Amino acid sequence: MPAKKEPGDMSAFERKRLENIAANRAILTDISVTAKKIIPDKPKPAKAAAPKRKSRGEQIKREPSRPTRMSSRLAGLEADNETLKRKLEVEAENQAEVAKAKKLRVVGDLNLGDIAVEGKKWSAGLDSLKGIVRGAQPGVRTFTEDDIQETTDKSLKGLRLRMGGLKLYEHWLPNDIKITPQRVYALGFHPTEDKPIVFAGDKEGNMGVFDGSQKPPEVDDDENPTSDPEISAFKTHSRTITSFVFPPTDGNTVYSSSYDSSIRKMDLEKGTSIQVFAPSDIDTDMPISALDMAHSEPNMLYFSTLDGGVGRYDVRAPGSEEIWTLSEQKIGGFSLHPLQPHLIATASLDRTMKIWDTRKISGKGDLRHPALLGEHESRLSVSHASWSAAGHIATSSYDDTIKIYDFSDASSWKAGHDISAKAMQPKHKIHHNNQTGRWVTILKPQWQRRPHDGIQKFVIANMNRFVDVFASDGSQLAQLDGEGITAVPAVAHFHPTLDWVAGGNGSGKLCLWQ
């Protein structure tokens, strides 16, 4: 056993690493303590084992892509130089292996102290590309103070004044709150109401956690420069993180999904991250595009995939996954009805929004799927379909619209209920620039899940560097802005119960309104 180093023998790097681990542990412990205040004691699990669900057939293995071969002439080789030809072939094989390794998901249990990302700020490399997106007009408002003042409906005007009164977090500018090293792809609010705690995931599998209650220390600016906010960052996945889910019965648990084909569970109290689901074959590539959980079914995870599938998995029964092929093309976003979790809305690259009912599943093998209740086709691809608790679905589409559908009678539907073509037409269409281009994360509407005021409303980013707030009747309630927003806060989320809004941008920076 190696001798333990004395403090005087410790390198500066090692000392800093231990300080970072201690700081991350303190933040997670504080979040864990806060979480316990809002979650009731867990009921003891039943002794009977959960029934094992039918699993999907063998996944299709995809061969890793190989680098494009270079001709001998372009490589400057003689036609009969077999040694150099073989050398090029070996190099190509090595490059393919490296590319494959980069895509491999993180497996096994991890200690958060071992996967902490060093430092408080990272170099994003996208600053020179900000605003270079088709149709964007940075800083040009599409909803103004005049729209509020000219509102004749008193209740609507009051709601607009309240939502428009949300203020940007004042202690640090957005450019100082670098919550992830790379572009933000997913956000999530912890459900605690004690303070805003935001989780973010980026395109390389890093997870960042920001406590919105912290303030800079009171120091003399001449003696000590302004400190950076405390942010915990962990490398929990090997590829893009796509969603966060917070179980209603356990405030210390955070589920995350990723393009690395896995779903992981972070335990804030224990400081661990474990893999709860992934294809049994590590070579199977099944990128997960979204994750959801019903409030009434805290042990059941639902997820969508980039190859057109939707699956469900009982975390109590390993191997219980069942995956249905619901589209021939990518399903970029889906959601469960919060109060009727058997209803699933999917949004696909095939330009459709579809509603499915898991109470009626038919077919065998790869043809097995829930009942399709109805569908609506848009002119271009649909990015996301989000259910509200009252039964509305909001979608965003590349045809530059937000569509709002009204299925408030969904609680009365019988299994396999057939929705008429007329009922599948959107009640409201809102013109909205959704042309994100290459450098901005796709814009997706996100409802406030359980609003205290009972008013159904959702947020979606605005390409002019705002976050828009809309009601279920299509009326705009606010356009959130503030000093220091220099990029589109493309990934926008509501706190589930309070009027707190967060937005993450392409440089890994965070905006927070309260």
Side-chain angles (χ1 to χ4, degrees):
M1 182 174 178
K4 186 176 180 181
K5 286 187 177 182
E6 295 298 325
D9 298 331
M10 191 178 297
S11 67
F13 175 83
E14 180 67 13
R15 188 179 299 110
K16 182 63 176 175
R17 189 182 76 84
L18 294 177
E19 289 175 358
N20 285 339
I21 290 174
N24 286 334
R25 170 67 68 179
I27 291 175
L28 292 179
T29 299
D30 184 50
I31 295 174
S32 176
V33 171
T34 302
K36 288 180 178 179
K37 298 179 182 178
I38 63 166
I39 305 298
D41 292 334
K42 298 182 193 176
K44 292 184 179 179
K47 292 184 179 179
K52 200 167 186 179
R53 286 178 173 76
K54 207 169 188 179
S55 62
R56 192 189 190 190
E58 184 178 353
Q59 296 284 338
I60 298 173
K61 294 185 181 179
R62 294 180 173 84
E63 293 296 326
S65 58
R66 294 181 178 273
T68 304
R69 293 188 64 184
M70 182 184 293
S71 70
S72 298
R73 179 180 62 80
L74 293 178
L77 304 178
E78 296 295 333
D80 59 350
N81 195 332
E82 295 299 330
T83 302
L84 290 180
K85 286 182 181 179
R86 178 55 186 160
K87 182 179 179 181
L88 278 181
E89 290 176 357
V90 171
E91 289 178 354
E93 291 173 359
N94 290 339
Q95 290 173 12
E97 289 300 319
V98 170
K100 179 180 176 181
K102 287 182 178 179
K103 291 185 177 182
L104 289 179
R105 57 183 172 270
V106 179
V107 296
D109 298 354
L110 302 172
N111 187 299
L112 299 185
D114 297 332
I115 58 174
V117 178
E118 298 293 338
K120 297 294 192 298
K121 291 188 176 182
W122 303 269
S123 176
L126 293 177
D127 291 345
S128 62
L129 299 171
K130 291 173 183 175
I132 307 178
V133 179
R134 179 158 52 99
Q137 295 178 292
V140 177
R141 298 187 68 90
T142 56
F143 182 76
T144 68
E145 184 67 25
D146 290 341
D147 293 310
I148 299 176
Q149 296 304 325
E150 293 171 4
T151 306
T152 56
D153 186 300
K154 290 185 178 180
S155 60
L156 176 59
K157 185 174 183 178
L159 183 57
R160 283 176 163 173
L161 288 171
R162 177 162 64 86
M163 295 306 303
L166 298 183
K167 299 299 182 184
L168 192 64
Y169 181 76
E170 61 183 356
H171 301 299
W172 282 279
L173 292 174
N175 277 344
D176 295 323
I177 310 175
K178 190 161 177 59
I179 193 167
T180 57
Q182 299 296 330
R183 185 198 309 180
V184 175
Y185 268 76
L187 277 183
F189 265 105
H190 191 282
T192 180
E193 296 181 354
D194 289 353
K195 56 185 177 181
I197 299 173
V198 183
F199 288 73
D202 74 7
K203 70 174 186 176
E204 293 187 351
N206 299 293
M207 178 190 296
V209 187
F210 175 71
D211 180 350
S213 68
Q214 61 180 295
K215 300 177 182 179
E218 296 182 2
V219 295
D220 186 341
D221 291 340
D222 294 332
E223 296 180 3
N224 197 350
T226 303
S227 63
D228 294 324
E230 291 290 336
I231 298 172
S232 293
F234 309 97
K235 181 72 172 177
T236 55
H237 290 274
S238 63
R239 295 172 66 185
T240 303
I241 294 176
T242 54
S243 292
F244 293 101
V245 164
F246 303 86
T249 57
D250 185 359
N252 279 313
T253 294
V254 183
Y255 289 103
S256 59
S257 61
S258 170
Y259 283 172
D260 68 9
S261 309
S262 74
I263 298 173
R264 298 189 69 88
K265 172 185 175 182
M266 175 180 278
D267 189 313
L268 301 175
E269 187 173 31
K270 296 179 180 177
T272 58
S273 173
I274 64 173
Q275 179 178 286
V276 296
F277 171 77
S280 56
D281 186 344
I282 194 170
D283 290 330
T284 297
D285 190 23
M286 190 182 71
I288 297 175
S289 58
L291 182 68
D292 203 1
M293 172 188 288
H295 196 79
S296 59
E297 297 179 337
N299 294 308
M300 197 71 70
L301 295 173
Y302 289 78
F303 57 90
S304 60
T305 70
L306 293 187
D307 62 359
V310 169
R312 64 180 175 187
Y313 177 72
D314 190 333
V315 297
R316 300 165 298 183
S320 64
E321 71 272 11
E322 183 172 13
I323 304 175
W324 312 293
T325 299
L326 303 184
S327 173
E328 293 182 355
Q329 299 187 49
K330 164 186 172 181
I331 293 179
F334 87 104
S335 65
L336 306 176
H337 189 308
L339 302 181
Q340 312 294 328
H342 52 271
L343 297 176
I344 302 175
T346 59
S348 175
L349 191 61
D350 67 7
R351 303 182 298 174
T352 64
M353 184 280 288
K354 297 178 181 178
I355 300 178
W356 309 83
D357 189 343
T358 59
R359 292 175 300 178
K360 185 177 181 181
I361 298 178
S362 58
K364 295 181 179 180
D366 289 341
L367 299 179
R368 182 174 168 82
H369 62 81
L372 175 61
L373 306 186
E375 65 180 280
H376 180 262
E377 185 172 340
S378 294
R379 186 172 59 85
L380 294 174
S381 66
V382 185
S383 303
H384 188 51
S386 181
W387 276 105
S388 77
H392 304 91
I393 294 178
T395 65
S396 54
S397 170
Y398 270 96
D399 64 7
D400 284 339
T401 64
I402 297 170
K403 301 179 184 72
I404 302 175
Y405 306 78
D406 187 354
F407 303 109
S408 53
D409 61 341
S411 60
S412 64
W413 293 350
K414 295 181 180 179
H417 171 83
D418 185 25
I419 307 174
S420 67
K422 181 179 179 180
M424 283 299 303
Q425 294 299 312
K427 291 291 185 182
H428 309 282
K429 275 188 182 181
I430 305 166
H431 177 73
H432 195 267
N433 179 10
N434 297 326
Q435 303 300 319
T436 53
R438 181 179 179 184
W439 306 109
V440 178
T441 304
I442 294 172
L443 309 186
K444 297 181 178 182
Q446 300 288 352
W447 292 92
Q448 190 174 28
R449 306 272 301 200
R450 302 181 302 279
H452 277 334
D453 60 10
I455 298 172
Q456 305 299 315
K457 47 192 178 292
F458 65 88
V459 291
I460 185 171
N462 183 300
M463 288 300 295
N464 293 356
R465 299 181 184 173
F466 305 105
V467 169
D468 293 329
V469 186
F470 292 96
S472 59
D473 63 0
S475 58
Q476 184 155 5
L477 303 181
Q479 193 162 81
L480 305 179
D481 62 0
E483 182 183 354
I485 301 176
T486 59
V488 181
V491 185
H493 265 258
F494 244 127
H495 184 275
T497 56
L498 302 177
D499 291 340
W500 295 341
V501 176
N505 69 25
S507 298
K509 310 293 180 62
L510 178 72
C511 303
L512 176 63
W513 289 270
Q514 296 171 263

